[in-house]
Amino acid sequence: MKLVLKIWRQKNPSSKGEMVSYPVEGIEEDMSFLEMLDVLNEQLNNSGEEPIEFDHDCREGICGACSLMINGRAHGPSSRITACQLHMRSFKDGDTITIEPWRAKAFPVIKDLIVDRSAFDRIQQAGGYISVNTSGNPVDANAIPIEKENADLAFNAATCIGCGACVAACKNASAMLFTSAKISQFALLPQGRVEATERVQNMVRQMDLEGFGNCTNTGACEVECPKGISLENIARMNREYYSASIKG
């Protein structure tokens, strides 16, 4: 398979970037998208050119590091997968593929296709945890009965891998789906109710400080999320936030 790759190249956060076209051949349909980039980088190395910088880690759809905008879609043309799970059988011989980093003010480009997603870390640090007293004789969490519906909803929210596809897909670069997922996974469990008021206020405040946009209910975030995180989490976060605001 022969392809033309139009890739965003940018040396550092302060330099001006541009799209550069690279012909690549010898691509097999069973290769993953990242393996295809590996082939391109090997060709660039052999010709003395600087390879493409892109993020990756597990290559199993677990970590979310492989965040790429592929032909205008977060993680590419297939649904419910990350870029590392995308295979080249989704493309045809002779195709031109456009590859860009996430586009959001809160996700500044570090180099080429790598962006700084530490804004998500700071939102998580603002309240995405529970404080547990481990001294003495604490009650085992498994001993606390939880309704199955709530347990399932909490688990579904917790499947968010923080890849940032929701932000990249949103016309406002909103992080409300990510933030609401991290809030919901605790809001639905008794262990998370103790700090619920403080959690939602702190996390929403940090989200706004990071420069993410507002939600206008377009729904692109849920469509492009590789884990299918539901918009219902945003509604739950809003209820939690309004309740916390009333409590003062």
Side-chain angles (χ1 to χ4, degrees), residues 38-173:
D38 290 337
V39 171
L40 171 61
N41 276 342
E42 185 175 358
Q43 293 180 9
L44 293 176
N45 275 323
N46 290 338
S47 62
E49 298 180 63
E50 187 173 3
I52 311 295
E53 297 283 349
F54 63 94
D55 241 337
H56 63 92
D57 190 6
C58 73
R59 298 200 179 203
E60 295 180 348
I62 298 171
C63 69
C66 61
S67 304
L68 297 172
M69 189 67 76
I70 303 168
N71 285 346
R73 288 193 61 181
H75 292 299
S78 300
S79 298
R80 300 292 188 263
I81 62 171
T82 54
C84 64
Q85 296 173 300
L86 178 66
H87 287 82
M88 298 312 297
R89 66 179 72 97
S90 298
F91 304 93
K92 298 178 181 179
D93 184 36
D95 276 355
T96 295
I97 305 174
T98 301
I99 310 170
E100 302 172 86
W102 286 166
R103 300 293 190 182
K105 179 182 178 181
F107 289 160
V109 174
I110 297 175
K111 185 175 182 181
D112 294 338
L113 302 174
I114 301 176
V115 300
D116 181 357
R117 289 176 293 166
S118 60
F120 271 10
D121 296 332
R122 291 187 288 273
I123 293 174
Q124 183 85 340
Q125 291 161 5
Y129 55 86
I130 59 172
S131 298
V132 179
N133 181 7
T134 56
S135 62
N137 187 26
V139 177
D140 191 326
N142 292 329
I144 302 174
I146 300 172
E147 293 183 9
K148 186 178 188 306
E149 180 181 359
N150 287 344
D152 289 344
L153 289 172
F155 181 83
N156 290 341
T159 60
C160 169
I161 56 177
C163 67
C166 52
V167 176
C170 178
K171 63 181 181 180
N172 304 320

Side-chain angles (χ1 to χ4, degrees), residues 170-176 213-221 231 234 238:
C170 178
K171 63 181 181 180
N172 304 320
S174 172
M176 289 190 71
N214 294 320
C215 174
T216 50
N217 297 311
T218 303
C221 54
L231 287 174
I234 296 179
N238 287 336

